[in-house]
Amino acid sequence: MSEAVAHDAHHHDHPTGIKRWLFTTNHKDIGTLYLWFAFIMFMVGGTFAMGIRAELFQPGMQIMKPQFFNMLTTLHGLIMVFGAIMPAFVGLANWLIPMMVGAPDMALPRMNNWSFWILPFAAILLVAPMFMGGDFSAGTGPNFGWTFYAPLSTKYPYLGYFVFAVHLLGISSIMGSINIIATILNMRAPGMTLMKMPLFVWTWLITAYLLLAVMPVLAGAVTMLLTDGYFGTTFFQAPGGGDARLFQHVFWFFGHPEVYIMILPAFGIVSQIIPTFARKKLFGYSSMVYATASIAFLSFIVWAHHMFTVGMPMAGILFFTYATLLIAVPTGVKVFNWVATMWRGAMTFETPMLFSIGFVVMFTFGGFTGLMLSISTADFQYHDSYFVVAHFHYVLVPGSLFSIFAAVYYWLPKWTGNMYSETLGKWHFWLSTIAVNLTFFPQHFVGLASMQRRVGDYPPQYAEFNMMSSIGAFMFGLTQLLFLYIVIKTIKGGKKATDEVWENAEGLEWTIPSPAPYHTFETPPQIK
Amino acid sequence: MSSNIMKKVTRGLFFLLMISIGGVALAAYDLNFPPPVTDNAKIMDDQNMFSIWVCVVIAIVVYGAMIYSIIFHRKSKGAVPADFHESTALEIAWTVVPFLILIAFGVSATKGLLKIYDHSGSELEVRVIGSQFKWEYQYLGKDGKVAYSFISQIKQSHKDASAAGGTKYKEIKNYLLDVDKPLRIPVGIKVKYTITSNPGDVIHSWWVPRLGIKQDANPGYDNTASALIPKEYAGQSFRGKCAELCGVDHAYMPVVVKAVAKAEFDTWLKTASTKYIANRKALANAESWSDDKLMSEGKKLYEIHCFACHKKDGSGTPPTFPALKGSAMANGKAGAHIQIIIKGKASMPPFAQLNDAEIAAIATYERKSWGNTGSIIKPSEVTKARK
């Protein structure tokens, strides 16, 4: 190994300090950048969430104006989706995919650098209008909901900033996914057939194709907004012959696959972790691959289930109801496979396992409410209520986010060479789990009792549950500072990790030293 | 040792959480759909309960298996891992069984939807027109023409209390759920609702949970829904709201439907309609109105259409909705002022749906109030401006 490092130093410039990070083409550095960026955005989006929950702590507009509240809900959603969850998964892909398939780096390292460095600029463009217009409390940032439905969004005075921010995010995602596909298809070690790839690699391969398919659709949608807003077209403007519903069809044709973009890599992560701590091979590997592919396919034909009340012929509603119901089949297969993997294993409950089990339990719960939402007749009541808010937060927070936590705890010893504190990790898990349920469980009730979403003030009949929800949210927010502390502490030192880290963990990444050297697998390993 | 203590602490916390959720459930808060009134709302309610119970059963099986293996298949209890990792029979079973459950869901959804989409036999049609941030209701006569129309919006005291914050909301009955004029609907007959929004406006959504209606009000396009309120509900009010984010005052667009006996409704509508039609006719003579008449009509209309954003004293809600008091527009050229009302500007929706006399009256009022010194505007100027 030392020979390999020396050999490398001979060939490559290896700058230090800020230049290392600006010009890096190393997949591990770029992975780290993505993960820190995601964490910072998670804190920013989290701050917006705290603002939302502070306002909703009791009825009455207590601390902000309605438009500021609308801005917070909009930016919270956009930042968490495009700034936190997606970049975190791309960061994990960068770190892990080359190590998992036995490649020395990503296939297109310079493009990799670019796809990351676009992101901070996109984030700045997105939030910049907050500080325009002179009066901060007026809420001049994007304030039309994260789904930016036209024509509300086309009336927004700083639309251009928003559109270009989304374009940049899209370019970054497209380049990132091209890179991931190229790496997985071309750079696998000899002997690693597709059906031998770790599930995390599989789920990311499928996710990358989803991104490639739908990001251009999103770009089309925002471009139409742009021309409606500035150049007098009327795609979505009824007075000029356009139709506001067209926007929603285009948006959700992107938006529904986007939902799976945020959950498929999570499926991959828990499929890596549960077998390790159950000490048993993943149950039904090939059915997991097929289920992932089926979910990806179905994601393209269910978009209008977000639009049951928008106005569609009955045949349309029935088609989207049936298609959506079908998603429960492959998703169920996944859950059953995870349970079967745990069944008659010899389980231990280190932090990554706790977060993974938390994921399976609470993601499944979000799946149940998803099933309820898919049935159009009842959705006429659920639509745009807090029931929907509760549903998608269950799949995104104890779903996607918990899987990211699980991944960080699982691979952090490999990245840093140090073990994290198991006691603190468990505290992080339990506090997060209690807080997340305290936050989002009551939202089902207020939603069923017909509180609509995206309002800063509400009738007092919903007051108690909203207060519980707010307390839970503050608790969840504070708990994440503990996560930051744990990670920094682990980077700085701690018990040295072995190369294998976890008992009999499977995968190429556990065959290299801990911490992983700057360059790995310069000579491809042989897979039997 | 320390991990043992931690286990106890976490278990204790979890127990507390469960107790608190259970306690709240017992305290009779609103936990589920409000009691359905119409057949459609009943379909939705039944579907909701059916879905919940199916999910509960599946949850018991899945979570039960997980909990069992978490308790018994742990290394600390000396469990030795089995080495099975696939079973085609099992995979087929847990593909087919959920599929059968889904067919049951599909069948019940289809049955329900057929009924919800059936608007036949409607004896009255009401047009519901959303705009920022109020609802216009039009009763259509047998000839399909508007027999009576009015605008319904949140009571100002509610908005004031909301903006004031503190505990002001406690002093107000039906906080955020009361309007100046409710929508009167006769019981015992099926009523068809055509739901839309003014072409230049944004999307709203008309939601009355107990009637089983939630339909988006799309600018320029109609959606339909229907509801039959049974006779025993006469005299009751059903409250709802706007469900689709429509801008700054989205939280302040409540709906109140008041169920009234058929005979009482007919008498009321007849009187209201006669007066309404007379008023519309009077508007035809608006060109000859005195300045005072223009002003007084303008004030009335301003306080229906404009004050929500521009405020009664013309101070507006800057920067989204600028002040009219002392504004360049209200003190400047008449033509530009009229154009903004007709076409809207930035966040302001167009008001082209108002007729020439109404726009003239509103513009005049805006130009002559709060110390403004703009010119009087006659309906003929608006007619010209529209061309």
Side-chain angles (χ1 to χ4, degrees), chain A residues 37-218:
Chain A
F37 175 79
F39 187 78
I40 292 165
M41 286 295 114
F42 175 58
M43 286 288 132
V44 174
T47 308
F48 292 146
M50 298 299 103
I52 292 168
R53 288 316 320 174
E55 179 53 60
L56 293 175
F57 189 73
Q58 55 172 318
M61 293 309 293
Q62 301 294 355
I63 51 178
M64 58 187 75
K65 294 178 188 169
Q67 197 72 320
F68 195 85
F69 181 87
N70 289 344
M71 180 186 82
L72 290 187
T73 55
T74 306
L75 285 177
H76 165 71
L78 289 166
I79 285 178
M80 287 304 196
V81 168
F82 294 104
I85 301 287
M86 289 172 71
F89 280 136
V90 181
L92 292 171
N94 257 291
W95 252 106
L96 298 170
I97 288 175
M99 297 199 314
M100 285 178 162
V101 301
D105 204 307
M106 296 292 279
L108 308 154
R110 283 181 199 283
M111 196 163 89
N112 203 12
N113 172 296
W114 195 26
S115 41
F116 171 76
W117 277 111
I118 284 176
L119 285 181
F121 296 95
I124 289 167
L125 273 184
L126 188 63
V127 298
M130 274 178 84
F131 307 101
M132 298 175 183
D135 181 5
F136 183 67
S137 72
T140 51
N143 49 27
F144 33 68
W146 85 271
T147 50
F148 50 100
Y149 279 8
L152 185 63
S153 54
T154 53
K155 290 170 186 276
Y156 174 64
Y158 306 100
L159 180 65
Y161 288 87
F162 172 77
V163 169
F164 285 110
V166 173
H167 271 311
L168 288 181
L169 291 166
I171 292 169
S172 163
S173 288
I174 288 171
M175 290 196 298
S177 46
I178 288 172
N179 214 342
I180 286 166
I181 293 171
T183 308
I184 297 173
L185 293 187
N186 296 312
M187 298 184 65
R188 277 171 288 130
M192 179 169 283
T193 57
L194 285 174
M195 290 310 273
K196 277 187 187 165
M197 294 196 309
L199 256 167
F200 180 72
V201 180
W202 253 117
T203 53
W204 242 118
L205 179 64
I206 292 167
T207 304
Y209 274 108
L210 284 184
L211 275 167
L212 267 192
V214 299
M215 276 299 168
V217 178
L218 177 68

